[in-house]
Amino acid sequence: MASARPARLHQDPGLQPERTDLAWRRTALTLVTAACVFLRWVPLHGWFAGTLVAAALLAAVGIALTQRHRYHHHAGGIGGAAMAANIRGTAAIAGCVVVLAGLGIFTVLYLPLQP
């Protein structure tokens, strides 16, 4: 009798691709949470806070849409014993977080409150 479970793509007992996948999911969830915080600022700071909401949500959606590709890349790399680090993706999300944090600080410190 055949098993209903799909075959694993790798034999890594440490489940590195799964742990990496979970880390990216946590990052996406954190960006959605940041978007919710920025959403509370929209009545106070107007369209600029709305831009922060859109940017955070776009980054989270970008992570979610590329998640499957990243998992298969990592699982295939472990199976083939050759894997390159995802430097572009990691640098892109790090840059996005730094820019969002800077704009959030700018919003709180320098943008006037709307009546």
Side-chain angles (χ1 to χ4, degrees):
M1 182 172 187
S3 172
R5 298 181 77 182
R8 291 176 55 181
L9 296 175
H10 60 88
Q11 298 300 322
D12 181 19
L15 300 175
Q16 180 63 39
E18 285 79 9
R19 288 186 284 141
T20 303
D21 181 60
L22 289 173
W24 279 103
R25 287 176 193 245
R26 283 191 301 267
T27 302
L29 185 60
T30 302
L31 284 167
V32 170
T33 303
C36 292
V37 170
F38 293 145
L39 191 60
R40 292 191 66 187
W41 293 354
V42 169
L44 300 174
H45 298 290
W47 65 268
F48 189 80
T51 304
L52 296 177
V53 171
L57 288 177
L58 281 175
V61 168
I63 289 172
L65 290 177
T66 58
Q67 192 64 27
R68 175 172 240 158
H69 170 73
R70 257 193 310 277
Y71 177 82
H72 285 286
H73 173 74
H74 287 129
I78 287 175
M83 185 171 70
N86 183 5
I87 295 173
R88 280 188 294 170
T90 305
I93 199 64
C96 180
V97 168
V98 168
V99 168
L100 282 173
L103 291 175
I105 291 170
F106 173 79
T107 301
V108 170
L109 294 180
Y110 298 110
L111 283 185
L113 296 176
Q114 293 183 352

